[in-house]
Amino acid sequence: MDDRTEVEQDGSSVGRRGVLGAFAALAAVTALVPGAWAVSLPLRKPEGLAGFGADDGDWQLPGQKPNPSGQLPGRKPEVTQVATRAPRIGRGARLLNLYNVHTGERVRGPFWQDGRYVPETMRSITRMMRDHRANQVHKIDPKLIELLHAIQMRIGQNKPLEIVSGYRSPSTNEMLREAGYGVAEHSYHMVGKAVDIRVPGYRVSQLSRMAKAMRRGGVGTYGSGNFLHIDTGPVRYW
């Protein structure tokens, strides 16, 4: 059999010598360019605190002028998590590991250290606990954040507290009431003093016992909805 033997491919003929020459040329290119056969894979997005821009509602320290509108201008409700450098761990640090089940945002880091609240973490918490339906933010009661931390201390840092519902704007609260969700007309969610949570691997009844033992506010157990309501209002249970 001579070199004129032909290979049929898509109705065309390619000589053996031509095929061998093509492979030899491709091998030479691969040797010269090590990444010639490499396939670009998407990079895994690192975890970190949610990013903030200059137009985000700031977390206000006591005595500071509050954000008059609470609205995030030009922002869509769907927010992609942006990795940033987490604050350093300082003296007497108190850490939280939070995850918003609706937006996929995470906050994991110290919210208190060196005798003061960490502003960037508090802004992250305020933003991730916003009303994602109306895309509005509201200052979250620091006592509520401390209550979340007390629960975090009992379950450990490796398990996130999943945020089911944080701040609710009046319009969202009324919409849920009209839809028959059993929402209170003057809910503590509307003033940033209530949050609904769940924790993977924990029953709502377990979380309820933890929160009731602390006696720091209201505790509502919603086994059918698989979440626990906690607030910083008067001590009461339902």
Side-chain angles (χ1 to χ4, degrees):
M1 185 180 296
D2 59 28
D3 289 337
R4 290 175 296 178
T5 301
E6 296 174 342
V7 180
E8 295 293 330
Q9 184 177 5
D10 298 330
S12 60
S13 299
V14 181
R16 175 182 295 177
R17 180 173 299 171
V19 172
L20 294 177
F23 274 111
L26 183 58
V29 171
T30 303
L32 292 174
V33 185
W37 290 103
V39 178
S40 298
L41 297 176
L43 295 177
R44 182 181 178 185
K45 186 181 296 182
E47 294 183 1
L49 298 178
F52 281 80
D55 58 353
D56 286 301
D58 195 7
W59 183 82
Q60 306 294 335
L61 291 169
Q64 288 184 319
K65 184 178 180 181
N67 185 345
S69 65
Q71 179 71 33
L72 298 178
R75 294 276 182 164
K76 297 181 179 179
E78 300 79 11
V79 176
T80 302
Q81 176 182 339
V82 179
T84 61
R85 180 176 299 175
R88 65 178 182 84
I89 306 300
R91 176 178 52 84
R94 303 173 195 167
L95 291 81
L96 274 174
N97 183 1
L98 305 177
Y99 173 74
N100 188 308
V101 299
H102 299 289
T103 66
E105 293 166 284
R106 294 179 182 271
V107 175
R108 187 172 185 176
F111 69 93
W112 171 280
Q113 63 183 14
D114 299 327
R116 60 187 287 270
Y117 288 111
V118 181
E120 55 264 42
T121 308
M122 297 298 281
R123 284 194 296 269
S124 295
I125 294 172
T126 298
R127 179 168 175 76
M128 83 171 303
M129 290 179 64
R130 71 192 179 279
D131 181 343
H132 69 279
R133 295 178 178 89
N135 198 31
Q136 292 182 4
V137 295
H138 189 284
K139 179 183 175 181
I140 302 301
D141 185 1
K143 292 181 180 179
L144 184 63
I145 297 175
E146 296 284 357
L147 181 53
L148 287 172
H149 175 252
I151 296 175
Q152 185 86 73
M153 291 288 288
R154 284 160 175 76
I155 68 171
Q157 289 293 324
N158 291 331
K159 285 186 176 293
L161 304 182
E162 295 188 345
I163 306 300
V164 178
S165 180
Y167 166 68
R168 287 189 206 137
S169 64
S171 60
T172 294
N173 198 74
E174 184 61 24
M175 179 269 291
L176 294 175
R177 285 187 70 245
E178 292 179 353
Y181 281 93
V183 174
E185 183 177 2
H186 302 290
S187 171
Y188 279 97
H189 285 275
M190 297 169 61
V191 290
K193 294 186 176 183
V195 62
D196 299 336
I197 64 170
R198 64 189 183 204
V199 178
Y202 281 79
R203 296 188 300 273
V204 176
S205 59
Q206 292 176 289
L207 299 175
S208 178
R209 286 194 295 271
M210 291 181 194
K212 289 177 180 178
M214 299 172 191
R215 297 186 59 81
R216 296 194 187 184
V219 178
T221 306
Y222 295 87
S224 59
N226 189 31
F227 68 85
L228 180 77
H229 168 101
I230 54 175
D231 63 53
T232 55
V235 175
R236 66 210 189 283
Y237 311 130
W238 66 93

